[in-house]
């Protein structure tokens, strides 16, 4: 079985990303893109499904790790009885290649190193043809299968046996060795070796420049900085698409079926990420994401999808991968996401918030960018009163979810403000009238008047953590009695070990078997809502606890099992990190 989720760290080149375990094994890597098939897939299976291990062969008595300050370059220190070795893991950025560089430095004594390079393409299914070849004056190991070619370089190249390439060698104090794995299309020549020092230095310099712009006048500024850098790693450098997570099928319910592929670009998640970046002062990034949005949704507004591939593609059908046993025996492993065809009425509201913030930050609208927004709002005006699948992508019957209705109000509200405050043209009288109608409906049908709380949807008295966003988007003030009642009801009904569930799965609203753990973004929403309500001490106490749930290198998963003290769901999760940034800004 793979390591606990919290024992992994993320490295990436803004084209794809890898998960590196505390044991020195890269157990997940899709090449060349986030949503490409994995060539190291041990995370969802065993080492037979592909991994790259570099670690001491002898018993490790202590392990510590950290990111080099202000970067996503991972440094792991292994201590054995007779010595110590430091492993640096880097994915160089900005060179239009897909490389993983691993450098070992022996800092004390003598350490025997185990090297295991197991390539399996097509999500751990296909064993490639592996050979040793001469290239650019050095021997390399080359693995080829179908469209993929992976090239291993280094001073101690492992020998092949039974589908593995393994080796052991000894290092003494002062020794340094560097290995790299490079992906290219199988029909292309073996690429030239990197200048390792130059590429590592350029990568660290660029990431430190990014991190240096992170706000320092916020609670848990170090976690905010790490979260912003993590969000950067999940933003494709060329296309501007922002993925929700670099993984698929890490379970929300261990041993269950709540396993989803998050390696795609949700309009909602990307818009929320943009809100966090803009709030933290990263204004220029808004332009690249807006350009991605324009390309992705171009066409008939009626064909708007809730998610797209990294390059804006529309085809991401959901299928199961039966050859992988799943993390912690959680089946099925899914590739693609069937929610792509759902109707989620909240999405446009999130997009309009992000674009309004971009305008406020000085990003000027073009003819195309505003025309697109007008068309999307006009399309919503024709269908705003339809039920939907909601924020949580329920696979049960569609409902009139209160959060979705609030975000419909937001879409019209931000469209009105674009005309009134920024001088853009549009049918503002109609948008204003629809905004008022939606508001009246929500206050009538989405409110439990006896209990003084908003409800998950119009046909229930149950609550939902998404209701905490009502004061955050400006629908009502944070100290409104109906907001205060909702905060208290959510805390009372959805608490699980001091953290918040999204909703109670036993209601059957989502149409999926099994249970799940508290969703971290919801607890960060509670921090923000408490801050808006003037309950700052309570908000800070929760913020401190939430930041304490991050792993040793500051990363958060989608959910957290408070009873067993472990992470759950896809990792790292953009939603958790962006909500952390927003909570810190709300407390500021």
């Amino acid at each position: 079985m793979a390591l606990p989720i919290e024992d992994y760290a993320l490295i990436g080149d803004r084209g794809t990303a890898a998960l590196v375990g505390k044991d020195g094994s890269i157990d997940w890597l899709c090449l060349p893109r986030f949503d490409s098939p994995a060539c190291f897939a041990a995370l969802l299976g065993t080492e037979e499904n592909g991994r790259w291990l570099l670690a001491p062969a002898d018993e490790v008595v202590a392990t510590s790790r950290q990111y080099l300050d202000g970067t996503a370059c991972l440094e792991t220190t292994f201590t054995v009885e007779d010595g110590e070795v430091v492993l640096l893991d880097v994915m160089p950025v900005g060179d239009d290649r897909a490389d993983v560089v691993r450098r070992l430095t022996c800092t004390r004594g003598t350490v025997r190193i185990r090297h295991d390079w197991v390539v399996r393409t097509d999500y751990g299914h296909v064993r490639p043809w592996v050979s040793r070849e001469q290239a650019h004056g050095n021997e390399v190991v080359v693995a080829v299968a179908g469209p993929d070619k992976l090239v291993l370089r280094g001073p101690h190249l492992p020998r092949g046996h039974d589908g593995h390439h393994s080796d052991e060698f000894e290092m003494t104090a002062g020794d340094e060795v560097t290995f790299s794995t490079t992906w290219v299309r199988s029909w292309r020549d073996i690429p030239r070796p990197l200048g390792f020092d130059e590429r590592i230095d350029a990568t660290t310099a660029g990431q430190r420049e990014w991190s240096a712009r992170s706000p320092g006048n916020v609670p848990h500024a170090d976690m905010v900085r790490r979260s912003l850098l993590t969000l950067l790693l999940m933003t494709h450098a060329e296309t501007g698409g922002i993925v929700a997570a670099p993984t698929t099928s890490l379970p929300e319910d261990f041993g269950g079926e709540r396993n989803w592929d998050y390696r795609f670009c949700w309009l909602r998640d990307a818009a929320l990420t943009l809100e966090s970046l803009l709030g933290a002062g990263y204004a220029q990034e808004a332009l690249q994401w807006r350009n991605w949005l324009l390309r992705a949704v171009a066409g008939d507004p009626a064909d708007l999808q809730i998610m797209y591939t990294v390059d804006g593609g529309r085809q991401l059908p959901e299928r199961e991968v039966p050859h992988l046993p799943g993390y912690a025996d959680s089946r099925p492993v899914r590739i693609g996401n069937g929610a792509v065809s759902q109707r989620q009425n909240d999405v446009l509201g999130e997009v309009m918030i992000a674009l309004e913030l971009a305008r406020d930050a000085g990003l000027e609208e073009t003819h195309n960018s505003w025309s697109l927004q007008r068309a999307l709002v006009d399309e919503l005006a024709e269908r705003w009163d339809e039920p939907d699948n909601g924020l949580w992508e329920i696979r049960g019957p569609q409902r009139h979810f209160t959060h979705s209705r609030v975000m419909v109000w937001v879409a019209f509200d931000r469209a009105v403000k674009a005309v009134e405050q920024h001088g853009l043209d549009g049918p503002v009288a109609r948008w204003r009238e629809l905004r008022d109608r939606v508001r009246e409906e929500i206050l009538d049908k989405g409110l439990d008047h006896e209990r003084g709380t908003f409800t998950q949807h119009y046909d229930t008295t149950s609550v939902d953590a998404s209701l905490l966003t009502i004061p955050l988007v400006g629908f009502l003030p944070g100290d409104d009695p109906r907001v205060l009642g909702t905060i208290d009801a959510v805390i009372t009904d959805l608490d699980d070990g001091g953290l918040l569930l999204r909703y109670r799965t036993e209601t059957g609203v989502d149409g999926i078997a099994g249970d799940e753990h508290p969703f971290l973004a919801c607890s960060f929403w509670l921090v923000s809502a408490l801050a808006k309500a003037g309950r700052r001490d309570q908000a800070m106490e929760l913020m401190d606890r939430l930041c304490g749930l991050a792993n040793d290198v500051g990363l958060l998963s989608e959910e957290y099992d408070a009873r067993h003290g472990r992470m759950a769901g896809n990792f790292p999760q953009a939603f958790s990190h962006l909500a952390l940034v927003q909570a810190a800004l709300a407390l500021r």
Side-chain angles (χ1 to χ4, degrees):
M1 176 182 162
L3 299 172
I5 293 170
E6 57 268 22
D7 282 356
Y8 287 98
L10 183 76
I11 59 172
D13 63 2
R14 299 195 60 200
T16 188
L19 293 191
V20 186
K22 276 187 177 179
D23 59 354
S25 180
I26 294 178
D27 286 350
W28 183 254
L29 176 60
C30 301
L31 288 170
R33 211 172 70 175
F34 295 106
D35 51 358
S36 299
C39 59
F40 299 138
L43 181 69
L44 300 179
T46 71
E47 63 185 68
E48 291 299 322
N49 299 116
R51 70 165 183 177
W52 186 10
L53 174 73
L54 268 175
D58 300 325
E59 181 182 359
V60 176
V61 297
T63 303
S64 64
R65 60 183 182 168
Q66 63 179 0
Y67 285 115
L68 297 182
D69 185 45
T71 78
C73 303
L74 181 69
E75 190 176 75
T76 306
T77 301
F78 299 102
T79 303
V80 298
E81 184 176 353
D82 297 323
E84 188 173 83
V85 66
V86 178
L87 172 63
L88 177 67
D89 284 308
V90 182
M91 293 187 71
V93 300
D95 54 7
D96 298 320
R97 314 173 30 148
D99 296 277
V100 181
V101 177
R102 316 195 76 187
R103 172 171 288 172
L104 279 164
T105 305
C106 186
T107 55
R108 179 174 60 82
T110 301
V111 182
R112 189 156 188 82
I113 300 298
R114 179 185 175 190
H115 188 186
D116 198 17
W117 193 69
V118 185
V119 175
R120 300 287 187 268
T121 62
D122 194 20
Y123 298 104
H125 182 57
V126 176
R127 180 183 292 187
W129 182 264
V130 185
S131 59
R132 302 173 84 88
E133 301 181 21
Q134 290 290 324
H136 309 108
N138 292 288
E139 189 175 46
V140 296
V141 178
V142 181
V144 175
D148 301 301
K149 177 188 289 185
L150 287 95
V151 181
L152 176 66
R153 287 186 169 93
H156 302 278
L157 291 177
R159 296 287 174 180
H161 61 91
D162 195 26
H164 290 233
H165 276 69
S166 300
D167 184 34
E168 288 193 7
F169 58 91
E170 194 168 86
M171 298 183 69
T172 58
D175 288 347
E176 181 179 277
V177 295
T178 303
F179 297 90
S180 69
T181 292
T182 304
W183 177 94
V184 292
R185 296 292 181 188
S186 59
W187 52 87
R188 292 185 176 170
D189 294 336
I190 295 173
R192 291 188 173 277
L194 285 174
F196 293 126
D197 291 337
E198 296 87 347
R199 294 312 309 147
I200 290 173
D201 289 346
T203 298
T204 56
Q207 292 174 351
R208 282 182 173 135
E209 187 278 332
W210 165 273
S211 298
R213 296 158 55 198
S214 176
N217 59 339
V218 292
H220 296 281
D222 55 338
M223 281 294 298
V224 170
R225 182 167 54 251
R226 177 54 52 192
S227 293
L228 289 167
L229 186 53
T230 302
L231 294 172
L232 175 69
L233 287 190
M234 288 191 271
T235 304
H236 194 274
E238 184 177 4
T239 69
I242 304 171
V243 298
T247 57
T248 180
S249 299
L250 290 180
E252 300 170 7
D253 181 19
F254 293 100
E257 65 173 295
R258 293 172 178 261
N259 318 310
W260 315 110
D261 192 349
Y262 279 5
R263 299 169 302 143
F264 306 110
C265 304
W266 273 254
L267 293 185
R268 175 195 306 108
D269 295 45
L272 288 167
T273 298
L274 189 62
E275 290 176 42
S276 297
L277 293 173
L278 287 167
Y282 291 83
Q284 182 57 36
E285 287 68 26
L287 179 60
Q288 188 183 29
W289 180 79
R290 189 182 70 181
N291 291 341
W292 176 87
L293 174 71
L294 290 170
R295 296 191 305 270
V297 306
D300 190 337
D303 296 331
L304 180 72
Q305 295 184 176
I306 64 162
M307 71 177 87
Y308 298 85
T309 61
V310 171
D311 60 3
R314 293 170 174 261
Q315 299 301 316
L316 39 133
E318 185 176 301
R319 63 183 177 90
E320 298 179 3
V321 183
H323 67 267
L324 285 174
Y327 183 91
D329 201 31
S330 305
R331 295 186 178 92
V333 171
R334 291 184 171 94
I335 303 301
N337 200 304
V340 66
S341 60
Q342 289 186 355
R343 180 169 182 81
Q344 297 177 17
N345 290 333
D346 68 295
V347 170
L348 184 57
E350 300 291 1
V351 170
M352 294 298 289
I353 288 175
L355 293 175
E356 179 195 41
L357 291 174
R359 285 191 292 271
D360 291 343
L363 182 62
E364 293 186 5
E365 295 286 1
T366 67
H367 173 74
N368 283 337
S369 66
W370 176 243
S371 295
L372 171 67
Q373 292 170 64
R374 276 194 57 171
L376 293 173
V377 173
D378 285 341
E379 168 63 21
L380 180 66
E382 299 299 322
R383 304 178 62 184
W384 69 270
D385 57 348
E386 296 180 8
D388 72 329
N389 300 90
L391 166 72
W392 305 128
E393 301 182 346
I394 63 149
R395 300 197 174 196
Q398 291 184 331
R399 308 276 189 175
H400 287 98
F401 287 98
T402 302
H403 172 266
S404 293
R405 316 305 280 170
V406 169
M407 296 312 296
V408 167
W409 175 88
V410 166
F412 292 132
D413 180 70
R414 294 332 190 249
V416 169
K417 289 181 177 178
V419 175
E420 293 179 343
Q421 298 179 10
H422 291 274
L424 299 169
D425 64 304
V428 67
R430 184 183 185 220
W431 291 343
R432 193 183 295 114
E433 186 268 335
L434 288 171
R435 179 186 64 179
D436 294 343
R437 282 177 57 190
V438 175
R439 179 184 177 84
E440 291 174 6
E441 179 197 276
I442 294 168
L443 295 177
D444 177 35
K445 298 181 179 180
L447 193 64
D448 181 340
H449 296 274
E450 291 186 10
R451 196 179 179 196
T453 177
F454 287 95
T455 59
Q456 182 182 42
H457 57 80
Y458 289 175
D459 301 315
T460 186
T461 57
S462 298
V463 296
D464 186 302
S466 64
L467 300 170
L468 295 169
T469 63
I470 286 174
L472 309 185
V473 300
F475 185 78
L476 286 174
D479 59 355
D480 185 282
R482 292 161 293 189
V483 170
L484 299 177
T486 299
I487 291 173
D488 291 336
V490 166
I491 293 173
T492 299
D493 293 4
L494 300 182
D495 178 83
D496 187 322
L499 304 174
L500 290 185
L501 299 166
R502 296 187 292 180
Y503 50 86
R504 289 289 174 182
T505 56
E506 54 264 33
T507 66
V509 67
D510 60 19
I512 308 166
D515 205 348
E516 63 179 33
H517 300 288
F519 194 83
L520 289 175
C522 296
S523 293
F524 283 115
W525 282 342
L526 178 56
V527 171
S528 297
L530 289 168
K532 288 280 189 181
R535 293 155 65 172
R536 181 177 174 81
D537 290 346
Q538 191 178 356
M540 274 302 307
E541 182 180 355
L542 179 57
M543 184 71 171
D544 292 344
R545 184 186 177 196
L546 289 168
C547 289
L549 299 180
N551 71 359
D552 56 321
V553 290
L555 301 181
L556 293 166
S557 61
E558 178 185 16
E559 298 184 355
Y560 193 84
D561 180 354
R563 292 171 182 161
H564 298 96
R566 61 181 179 178
M567 293 186 178
N570 283 305
F571 172 88
Q573 176 78 357
F575 217 150
S576 299
H577 284 283
L578 66 88
L580 182 153
V581 174
Q582 290 175 339
L585 294 173
L587 286 167
R588 179 179 65 175

